[in-house]
Amino acid sequence: MKRFGTLLLMLVVLMAAVGIVDAQDTPVEGGTLRVAIASLTGLDPVFIADDMSMYPSSLVYQFLVRARRLADGTVAYEGDLAESWDIEEDGKVITFHLRQGMTFQDGNAVFAEGEGREVVAADVVYSMERLLNSEGTVAPSDLTSVYQSIEALDDYTVKLTLSQPDGLLFDGARGLSFLAIYPQEAVEQLGDAIRTNPIGSGPFEFVEYVVDERVVLQRNEDFYIRPLLDGVEFRIIPEDSGQVLALEADEIDIMTASVPSTDIDRFRDAPGFVLADTQITGGTQMIFNINVPLFSDVRFREAVAKAIDGRGIMRAVYGAVVVDGCGTTGPGWPGFNPDLCQYFPYEPDTSRAILAELGWADADGDGILDKDGQPLSFPIEAWNLPEMPRVMEAVVTQLREVGIDAQLEIVEFGTWIEDYFAGAEKLMPFSGFCCIGGTEAYWGPGGLGEAMGVKDEAAQALLVEALTVLDPVERAPLIMEAADMLYSQYYAIPLGFQTAFSLRSDRVQDYSGVFWWFPVVGEGYNVWLNQ
């Protein structure tokens, strides 16, 4: 299984949250931060394909580097296990200098209390090899396509060699952002159980995982920065509206789902809450598995696309937060191509005409087209998280209006991920990949589009070239050209984008919002609760 996510960037989320720091009071220690997430597929970053599962995992494990989104919309990159790094040979050699004195968490099945050993360069090498070589890994395509070698120069120095520069190497949900640092003995002793019993060297230790209910973490007393929080509890609340209600009832402190558009206005100046525009536009699309004979014809894919009023559906479901645009990269991000919507007008009559040209007709008068005695029918598999079912129900209705009997299947998010990477022979809707690196990660060599059989060599060559350009603005024209190639072939149908609003209790202090990792403790910030 490979990463879906910025499957989500988002299912969901792709749905990142940004708060405004309020440090008017003196920080105090204590309390448990309660965070709502919509779902959880596991706690092992090698196999995590969604932002929500990464949030708790990112507090247990350390990574070489991290990124966090600030209140002004910018992204800050900072060292984690790596205290500093040197970039040489035009970006092809990166030498990481590790923070000394970091230890793996103890008091668990692998390390007895007081016996957590120091994290060294050999652990980074092991973790990289595990990320790249594990069956079902989510190792991102930009890393796998340029990786050459990694070596420990001494206990605190690691040398990473690439075949060419990687412009996404340090970005959240790209490059190195899946490289959690593991103790080899924990992986060997626990086996698959490490997916639900993580042991790392991060600021919080794993306590409990109750499936479909919660993940409980407690302060790691040995972390080099003492967390002000006693612990963090992630509570699984699938519905956006359910997270809002839980926040209002003081059952959680932060919701990671986007605030429903119907609730935005009432929270703008509501006492006790902090509402913020995340300045991230999440997109929703549907991708064809072109290995399916029915979907292999570009004219058929065009007919399906023109039968759907994607932007109209998005406005009806998401309301005022909808942002016009088509493609993978969202408005406001380098590489957004404003011309892609020319391929996706809502023209049901054109759709019917194309289908007729392809030999489809309603021979028995039941309203469903058929050919050679077979009805025009195919499945659409969608996950059960908001607001995907509502969006897909509207899509199915519009397809049936032109004679296509689309069969909607709603499944659990984890099931959807497994089916996607297994190459389900269906039309598969997804969200995310809207920010920097999203187009490259989804459509590039080794990217998620390949699970659906999409390997457009010309577009992939442009995206590989884009990876070598370190400046996102200079990279943008290459991404735009590749996107035009991809969407003119109707490999996917973009429905539109929506901006996400975050909501939290105003008792949460020194919090700047999520960006793939969940930032609670780091250089210059330490989340605390104003009791």
Side-chain angles (χ1 to χ4, degrees):
M1 180 177 72
K2 294 190 177 182
R3 180 185 62 81
F4 190 77
T6 299
L7 208 90
L8 293 161
L9 254 119
M10 288 209 118
L11 193 48
V12 136
V13 148
L14 302 7
M15 301 288 190
V18 175
I20 298 174
V21 174
D22 178 5
Q24 62 182 356
D25 298 316
T26 302
V28 297
E29 186 174 302
T32 296
L33 180 69
R34 304 161 300 171
V35 183
I37 56 176
S39 67
L40 186 72
T41 59
L43 295 168
D44 185 347
V46 164
F47 307 105
I48 288 175
D50 63 289
D51 302 65
M52 295 168 288
S53 299
M54 183 59 79
Y55 297 159
S57 303
S58 70
L59 295 181
V60 175
Y61 290 104
Q62 278 192 291
F63 298 73
L64 283 177
V65 297
R66 289 177 180 259
R68 63 188 178 103
R69 194 165 182 83
L70 304 181
D72 63 1
T74 60
V75 176
Y77 296 95
E78 58 194 22
D80 192 3
L81 181 60
E83 196 166 29
S84 63
W85 53 93
D86 305 315
I87 301 176
E88 303 170 289
E89 296 187 25
D90 297 324
K92 292 190 289 186
V93 176
I94 302 96
T95 303
F96 295 93
H97 307 283
L98 306 187
R99 199 179 302 278
Q100 299 185 29
M102 302 305 303
T103 59
F104 287 115
Q105 297 146 4
D106 55 22
N108 50 57
V110 177
F111 300 108
E113 188 68 38
E115 297 183 9
R117 68 167 177 83
E118 187 177 21
V119 184
V120 294
D123 296 307
V124 177
V125 173
Y126 168 76
S127 298
M128 176 68 86
E129 292 173 347
R130 180 172 184 263
L131 172 65
L132 296 174
N133 299 321
S134 295
E135 182 178 356
T137 177
V138 296
S141 59
D142 66 285
L143 176 61
T144 58
S145 64
V146 301
Y147 172 82
Q148 279 197 334
S149 65
I150 189 169
E151 59 182 313
L153 301 183
D154 57 43
D155 278 352
Y156 305 109
T157 312
V158 176
K159 179 182 177 182
L160 174 64
T161 303
L162 309 175
S163 60
Q164 64 184 36
D166 180 359
L168 306 180
L169 192 66
F170 294 97
D171 283 348
R174 312 284 182 258
L176 294 172
S177 66
F178 297 84
L179 184 59
I181 310 305
Y182 303 82
Q184 183 173 352
E185 53 266 62
V187 177
E188 292 175 346
Q189 290 181 38
L190 296 177
D192 288 343
I194 200 169
R195 298 192 185 195
T196 52
N197 295 273
I199 299 174
S201 55
F204 291 86
E205 299 180 2
F206 173 76
V207 175
E208 177 186 43
Y209 171 31
V210 180
V211 176
D212 295 332
E213 290 188 19
R214 64 185 179 274
V215 174
V216 180
L217 310 177
Q218 67 183 11
R219 179 194 295 121
N220 177 7
E221 300 287 353
D222 299 321
F223 196 63
Y224 79 105
I225 300 173
R226 179 177 174 83
L228 292 174
L229 295 169
D230 291 333
V232 182
E233 180 177 339
F234 291 87
R235 300 183 181 181
I236 299 173
I237 304 176
E239 296 289 336
D240 297 356
S241 57
Q243 293 193 20
V244 171
L245 292 174
L247 187 58
E248 289 185 293
D250 193 29
E251 296 171 357
I252 61 170
D253 302 301
I254 298 174
M255 59 177 290
T256 57
S258 182
V259 181
S261 59
T262 53
D263 290 318
I264 290 173
D265 286 342
R266 72 186 184 91
F267 281 110
R268 288 193 187 278
D269 300 308
F273 301 96
V274 176
L275 175 77
D277 186 339
T278 68
Q279 303 175 43
I280 291 179
T281 47
T284 300
Q285 307 189 55
M286 299 184 294
I287 184 170
F288 292 95
N289 185 334
I290 64 171
N291 294 318
V292 176
L294 185 64
F295 297 159
S296 64
D297 188 332
V298 63
R299 288 286 283 163
F300 180 81
R301 299 196 297 268
E302 180 184 359
V304 174
K306 291 183 175 176
I308 298 169
D309 181 12
R311 282 160 287 174
I313 291 173
M314 293 291 282
R315 289 190 189 95
V317 173
Y318 291 101
V321 300
V322 170
V323 180
D324 280 338
C326 298
T328 305
T329 301
W333 295 92
F336 170 65
N337 189 338
D339 297 327
L340 295 183
C341 286
Q342 67 177 308
Y343 299 117
F344 301 96
Y346 178 44
E347 296 178 348
D349 288 340
T350 301
S351 175
R352 294 185 184 94
I354 294 174
L355 293 172
E357 292 172 8
L358 296 176
W360 294 97
D362 184 7
D364 55 11
D366 66 351
I368 302 301
L369 302 177
D370 51 76
K371 182 166 62 174
D372 300 327
Q374 297 297 318
L376 179 49
S377 179
F378 56 78
I380 300 176
E381 181 177 311
W383 59 62
N384 63 344
L385 300 179
E387 294 284 345
M388 190 65 80
R390 290 180 58 199
V391 171
M392 289 303 114
E393 287 167 2
V395 166
V396 166
T397 296
Q398 291 186 344
L399 290 177
R400 287 178 177 165
E401 290 174 355
V402 299
I404 298 174
D405 183 26
Q407 301 293 317
L408 181 59
E409 303 171 3
I410 304 295
V411 300
E412 296 289 333
F413 183 59
T415 299
W416 183 94
I417 290 177
E418 293 177 1
D419 290 347
Y420 182 95
F421 289 111
E425 296 187 349
K426 304 173 183 180
L427 185 60
M428 301 289 282
F430 69 94
S431 294
F433 297 90
C434 58
C435 303
I436 290 177
T439 299
E440 299 99 309
Y442 195 88
W443 299 106
L448 280 82
E450 292 190 354
M452 294 289 108
V454 180
K455 298 181 180 180
D456 189 302
E457 293 183 0
Q460 288 189 334
L462 286 170
L463 294 176
V464 168
E465 182 180 354
L467 288 174
T468 68
V469 181
L470 302 185
D471 186 332
V473 176
E474 295 179 6
R475 193 188 309 149
L478 295 168
I479 301 171
M480 294 172 68
E481 184 177 353
D484 188 81
M485 292 179 177
L486 293 162
Y487 287 97
S488 65
Q489 293 300 304
Y490 298 94
Y491 294 124
I493 304 172
L495 303 180
F497 299 92
Q498 69 277 354
T499 188
F501 281 77
S502 70
L503 186 66
R504 64 176 172 85
S505 166
D506 66 359
R507 66 196 292 263
V508 180
Q509 305 294 311
D510 209 7
Y511 172 74
S512 62
V514 293
F515 189 75
W516 186 236
W517 298 279
F518 198 86
V520 175
V521 179
E523 296 290 345
Y525 64 97
N526 198 334
V527 172
W528 57 283
L529 298 175
N530 187 337
Q531 304 290 348

